[in-house]
Amino acid sequence: MSERYTSVRSNGAILAVMLVMSVLEMTLPIQAASAHQVRTGTCEVVALHRCCNKNKIEERSQTVKCSCFPGQVAGTTRAAPSCVDASIVEQKWWCQMHPCLDGEECKVLPDLKGWSCATGNKIKTTKISADRDQLW
């Protein structure tokens, strides 16, 4: 009976060690990602959010980490985060950063708070959030 108890106890200890290792593996990438440096002149997406409202319009947002050269700021090129010339953002010439995919038509919104990319009857709109530094 003591052999069986020892066997169950050692299996429990192995299971506990495996559980701790699994938890550590799950938390390490999060810590590493937050300490990860983005190469200068590039951007990377660090979080994605997606939902639909009651009118079945899909809403997407993302959090991006950029490291731009002097004179550049975070922007959008071909529907992907990128570093763009700061004057484009300062003067709100959104379409100058080529935010739309090939074949899509770019139009600055009438209030200058974003742009739309259109192809056929599909329109994707990007607006600057209240926190001017964030696009949504």
Side-chain angles (χ1 to χ4, degrees):
M1 184 130 152
S2 64
E3 277 183 41
R4 184 171 178 222
Y5 176 74
T6 304
S7 174
V8 169
R9 187 173 166 191
S10 64
N11 286 344
I14 291 172
L15 182 61
V17 169
M18 289 177 59
L19 178 62
V20 169
M21 288 175 56
S22 297
V23 169
L24 287 175
E25 286 176 8
M26 289 172 26
T27 59
L28 285 177
I30 294 168
Q31 293 169 350
S34 64
H36 175 71
Q37 294 294 322
V38 178
R39 198 172 72 238
T40 304
T42 64
C43 297
E44 69 179 30
V45 176
V46 293
L48 291 170
H49 311 281
R50 179 189 230 171
C51 66
C52 289
N53 65 19
K54 58 186 167 189
N55 296 325
K56 296 186 179 180
I57 296 174
E58 185 176 55
E59 295 178 2
R60 297 180 189 182
S61 66
Q62 61 187 17
T63 303
V64 177
K65 186 175 183 180
C66 294
S67 176
C68 299
F69 290 109
Q72 291 185 325
V73 295
T76 303
T77 303
R78 286 189 275 303
S82 64
C83 292
V84 299
D85 190 272
S87 65
I88 292 172
V89 176
E90 289 167 5
Q91 297 173 12
K92 300 182 181 180
W93 293 344
W94 307 118
C95 293
Q96 294 294 318
M97 63 182 173
H98 307 287
C100 302
L101 296 170
D102 291 339
E104 293 179 332
E105 180 185 6
C106 180
K107 290 184 181 177
V108 176
L109 299 178
D111 61 4
L112 303 178
K113 292 185 179 178
W115 64 90
S116 65
C117 298
T119 178
N121 63 350
K122 185 177 179 181
I123 299 173
K124 296 182 286 184
T125 302
T126 302
K127 293 183 179 181
I128 305 302
S129 70
D131 178 12
R132 281 189 47 189
D133 295 332
Q134 296 179 354
L135 298 177
W136 58 275

